[in-house]
Amino acid sequence: DKVLSLAEVEVFGTSTPLYNVALYKSTAQSSVRNDDGSFGAYKAVDGDLRPESVAGGNNNLSITKLESNPWWEVSLSSSVVVDSVKIYNRYLLHSACPGGICSRRLRGFRLEIFNGDDANAVFTYNDPSPVDPGLVISITTVPFGTVGDRVRISIPGQTQWLHLYEVQVFSE
C-alpha cells in the first residue's frame, strides 16, 4: 500500500457565468402552423421548459407549417460572443410523426450564427443524426470568439414542420 499525504491543495482559475442571451428576444420564422399565432416563433425563447404534457401542446411550442426549407430565427439585439447553443426538441409520440416520434422531424437541421448584414454565416452546424437528433441538443463546437447577432435554425432540402420547444444561446 502506498500513502499520499498532502498538506495543502490550491486550485486557481476563473469562471465567468454564461447567460441565455436569446431569452425574450425578437424572433421570426418562415410560417406559423396556425394563422392565429398560437405556435409563434417567440414561444421558443420564452423560458418555458415545462413538458408539453404539463404546459399543453400550443402553450410552449414554435411550429411552422409543413413547407419546404422551414426556418426559425432569433435576433440577439446586439453582437455577442456566442459560447454555445442548446436546442430543446419536441417530445411527443404521435402517429403523424416519422416513426411515431416527433423529435425525428428535426433530423438534418442546420444551425447558423450570423453577424450584421452579412448573408454568410460565421458558424454553421449541420446535424449528423441519421434518425433522431434527440430531445436536448447541445451545440458546444462553436469556435472560441465567434461573434454573432442572429441565430437561425432550418431544415434545408426537406419539406417538413419545424418544431422547437426552446432555444438558448449562451454568452458571457
Side-chain angles (χ1 to χ4, degrees), residues 11-59:
V11 178
F12 296 96
T14 60
S15 177
T16 304
L18 296 176
Y19 299 95
N20 177 11
V21 295
L23 189 62
Y24 304 122
K25 291 296 180 12
S26 177
T27 56
Q29 62 190 39
S30 53
S31 65
V32 180
R33 180 175 176 232
N34 292 353
D35 292 329
D36 65 4
S38 59
F39 295 103
Y42 68 95
K43 300 259 180 121
V45 294
D46 64 2
D48 189 353
L49 295 174
R50 295 176 299 157
E52 190 173 345
S53 60
V54 174
N58 59 350
N59 288 328

Side-chain angles (χ1 to χ4, degrees), residues 123-162:
F123 172 76
T124 300
Y125 172 89
N126 289 301
D127 172 51
S129 305
V131 178
D132 189 337
L135 299 178
V136 179
I137 306 152
S138 295
I139 300 170
T140 58
T141 56
V142 179
F144 180 78
T146 298
V147 175
D149 63 1
R150 289 177 292 132
V151 174
R152 177 179 281 213
I153 297 169
S154 62
I155 308 177
Q158 295 184 49
T159 297
Q160 190 57 271
W161 284 278
L162 175 57

Side-chain angles (χ1 to χ4, degrees), residues 4 22 41 45 47 55 57 65 83 85 99 109 111-112 117 119 122-123 126 142 147-148 164:
L4 173 63
V45 294
K65 292 180 178 179
D83 178 80
V85 179
F109 78 90
L111 178 135
E112 297 169 290
D117 294 331
V122 295
F123 172 76
N126 289 301
V142 179
V147 175
L164 293 171

Side-chain angles (χ1 to χ4, degrees), residues 46-121:
D46 64 2
D48 189 353
L49 295 174
R50 295 176 299 157
E52 190 173 345
S53 60
V54 174
N58 59 350
N59 288 328
N60 62 351
L61 284 169
S62 165
I63 305 176
T64 66
K65 292 180 178 179
L66 177 64
E67 63 185 338
S68 179
N69 305 309
W71 58 267
W72 174 93
E73 183 174 285
V74 60
S75 172
L76 304 176
S77 301
S78 63
S79 295
V80 297
V81 176
V82 177
D83 178 80
S84 58
V85 179
K86 188 177 282 190
I87 300 169
Y88 290 83
N89 196 358
R90 186 177 193 187
Y91 177 75
L92 180 68
L93 302 178
H94 193 280
S95 61
C97 295
I101 304 170
C102 289
S103 60
R104 292 181 176 178
R105 286 190 171 148
L106 200 52
R107 179 187 57 81
F109 78 90
R110 174 177 294 155
L111 178 135
E112 297 169 290
I113 299 173
F114 296 92
N115 195 38
D117 294 331
D118 193 349
N120 298 315

